[in-house]
Amino acid sequence: MNSSVSALPLSTLNSANEALTLRLPSSLQLKQQLPLSNALAQQVAAHRQAIRAILDGEDYRLLVVVGPCSIHDPRSALEYAEKLSRLAHDVSDEMLLVMRAYVEKPRTTVGWKGLAYDPHLDGSDDMAAGLTLSRELMLEMVRLGLPIATELLQPMAAGYFDDLLGWVAIGARTTESQIHREMASGLSMPVGFKNGTDGGVSVAVDAMRSAAHPHRHFGVDSHGHPAIIQTSGNPDTHLVLRGGHHGPNFDRASVARVQADLTRLKIPSRIMVDCSHANSGKDPLRQPDVFNEVLEQRLQGDRSLIGMMIESHLFEGCQPLSPALRYGVSVTDGCLGFSATEQLLSSAAERLRAQVRA
């Protein structure tokens, strides 16, 4: 993965207070340089349809979005993808595994913003290289046969890799954003809206209702020109429970309350549980406990629980950015190691098979 699309020269500055601007290639240019073949485009379409079938109750497999909190090292990410591809095949009768390919990282204040922003991990913010590297990496994952997922944080970046994605998350900090709701209404893949950081689900429910409707909004076309974007509405949205400031929200009582709210508003009860964040108390090693509790609810007949999300890397834990990084360890949120992830999902698949046999 060594191709690149260069940024254009800096604009002339009119004053000391004017923001610096550096022109990026258009999304069309990058897609032309790193194209998605017809065969792979059909594969992505099939992945999206498989996820829709789970949301609609036509496919009773469990949807599991799993992988690094964020990707900072393409080599370790591809090694993880290769391992996950083999595991996905082994559990495909009971689960649809979707790999997290998160190249943007939301920040409450400041910090590393992700591979698409700062691929060299040094604050140089070479976004042209970051977008190229992100698309190259996602293409490699698609070639491995994996559906891939990401959180779309910056709407202007979405067009550089939207054709590769099987599933998209809108994060807790952006679910309330009108801009992100409008963007989601024009996406051609299923979208999960996370509940707000306070733990409340009303903003996510409002987002789902908004995204289901057509919109006209300001945007940028594939050539990079300002444009009026007209969307048709996205019917394939669902809720992601990730806990909040007051604690987790994956327990039976919390799920029942959410189901009642969705039913009252005549919104399909389609719920994914994020096993990380506040649901695990930000302890990555507690994710299996959350997963197994939700799995038990599903085994007892709660079909509104359509999926789960796990933050997982080659090795457990996390590390700060430094000149000497440990291979395969997250530089953002702590993750479950792959061995533990494999054991968790394999065991869950066997429990699901046993229910079918019974």
Side-chain angles (χ1 to χ4, degrees), residues 271-293:
I271 302 169
M272 175 181 284
V273 172
D274 181 351
C275 298
S276 185
H277 300 100
N279 275 335
S280 64
K282 297 186 178 180
D283 179 353
L285 301 186
R286 291 179 60 190
Q287 289 183 98
D289 295 336
V290 179
F291 185 99
N292 285 323
E293 165 61 24

Side-chain angles (χ1 to χ4, degrees), residues 19-187:
L20 295 171
T21 59
L22 188 64
R23 187 173 298 170
L24 290 167
S26 69
S27 60
L28 179 61
Q29 287 174 304
L30 189 56
K31 286 177 174 176
Q32 288 174 336
Q33 179 177 327
L34 298 168
L36 183 67
S37 69
N38 289 334
L40 288 180
Q42 291 176 10
Q43 176 184 296
V44 172
H47 289 156
R48 293 173 177 177
Q49 187 54 42
I51 295 170
R52 289 189 191 100
I54 290 174
L55 295 180
D56 293 339
E58 298 167 1
D59 183 338
Y60 287 103
R61 290 183 295 171
L62 183 67
L63 178 64
V64 181
V65 179
V66 56
C69 170
S70 59
I71 290 173
H72 70 280
D73 171 27
R75 186 166 66 95
S76 64
L78 280 178
E79 181 180 341
Y80 185 99
E82 290 166 357
K83 289 176 180 288
L84 190 68
S85 179
R86 292 190 290 270
L87 178 59
H89 178 269
D90 292 343
V91 302
S92 62
D93 57 328
E94 294 294 342
M95 298 179 185
L96 177 60
L97 304 189
V98 180
M99 177 155 177
R100 289 173 60 112
Y102 281 38
V103 297
E104 298 181 86
K105 179 65 181 175
R107 289 299 185 182
T108 302
T109 53
V110 294
W112 184 69
K113 295 182 181 179
L115 191 73
Y117 288 75
D118 186 16
H120 309 306
L121 312 179
D122 59 2
S124 60
D125 295 330
D126 187 353
M127 296 180 196
L131 290 169
T132 301
L133 184 57
S134 296
R135 184 169 177 86
E136 287 178 328
L137 185 57
M138 290 182 183
L139 273 170
E140 289 298 320
M141 292 175 180
V142 171
R143 291 186 184 111
L144 288 171
L146 285 169
I148 59 174
T150 201
E151 178 179 340
L152 290 180
L153 185 61
Q154 169 51 258
M156 290 183 65
Y160 289 94
F161 33 77
D162 57 354
D163 56 329
L164 308 176
L165 302 171
W167 183 88
V168 160
I170 304 297
R173 297 170 182 81
T174 45
T175 286
E176 198 167 5
S177 159
Q178 176 177 315
I179 294 171
H180 289 78
R181 295 174 179 185
E182 291 170 345
M183 175 184 69
S185 75
L187 294 176

Side-chain angles (χ1 to χ4, degrees), residues 129-326:
L131 290 169
T132 301
L133 184 57
S134 296
R135 184 169 177 86
E136 287 178 328
L137 185 57
M138 290 182 183
L139 273 170
E140 289 298 320
M141 292 175 180
V142 171
R143 291 186 184 111
L144 288 171
L146 285 169
I148 59 174
T150 201
E151 178 179 340
L152 290 180
L153 185 61
Q154 169 51 258
M156 290 183 65
Y160 289 94
F161 33 77
D162 57 354
D163 56 329
L164 308 176
L165 302 171
W167 183 88
V168 160
I170 304 297
R173 297 170 182 81
T174 45
T175 286
E176 198 167 5
S177 159
Q178 176 177 315
I179 294 171
H180 289 78
R181 295 174 179 185
E182 291 170 345
M183 175 184 69
S185 75
L187 294 176
S188 53
M189 74 289 293
V191 175
F193 285 98
K194 289 196 173 184
N195 65 249
T197 55
D198 64 352
V201 301
S202 60
V203 294
V205 170
D206 288 345
M208 293 162 62
R209 297 172 69 186
S210 174
H213 287 275
H215 289 274
R216 292 189 184 93
H217 63 90
F218 293 104
V220 177
D221 66 18
S222 62
H223 296 277
H225 300 145
I228 298 172
I229 308 297
Q230 182 168 329
T231 70
S232 58
N234 189 340
D236 302 312
T237 63
H238 66 92
L239 179 64
V240 181
L241 298 179
R242 47 87 71 197
H245 297 321
H246 301 294
N249 58 4
F250 65 88
D251 57 280
R252 285 175 173 78
S254 296
V255 171
R257 285 193 294 270
V258 170
Q259 291 168 340
D261 288 341
L262 293 174
T263 299
R264 177 173 52 82
L265 295 168
K266 298 181 179 180
I267 296 173
S269 189
R270 307 187 290 205
I271 302 169
M272 175 181 284
V273 172
D274 181 351
C275 298
S276 185
H277 300 100
N279 275 335
S280 64
K282 297 186 178 180
D283 179 353
L285 301 186
R286 291 179 60 190
Q287 289 183 98
D289 295 336
V290 179
F291 185 99
N292 285 323
E293 165 61 24
V294 177
L295 179 64
E296 186 60 34
Q297 293 178 50
R298 182 179 165 92
L299 288 169
Q300 292 181 8
D302 192 343
R303 290 292 181 176
S304 73
L305 293 167
I306 53 90
M308 282 182 267
M309 181 180 292
I310 303 169
E311 291 189 331
S312 163
H313 213 321
L314 291 176
F315 304 105
E316 69 179 43
C318 62
Q319 62 185 327
L321 280 175
S322 73
L325 292 173
R326 288 176 288 152

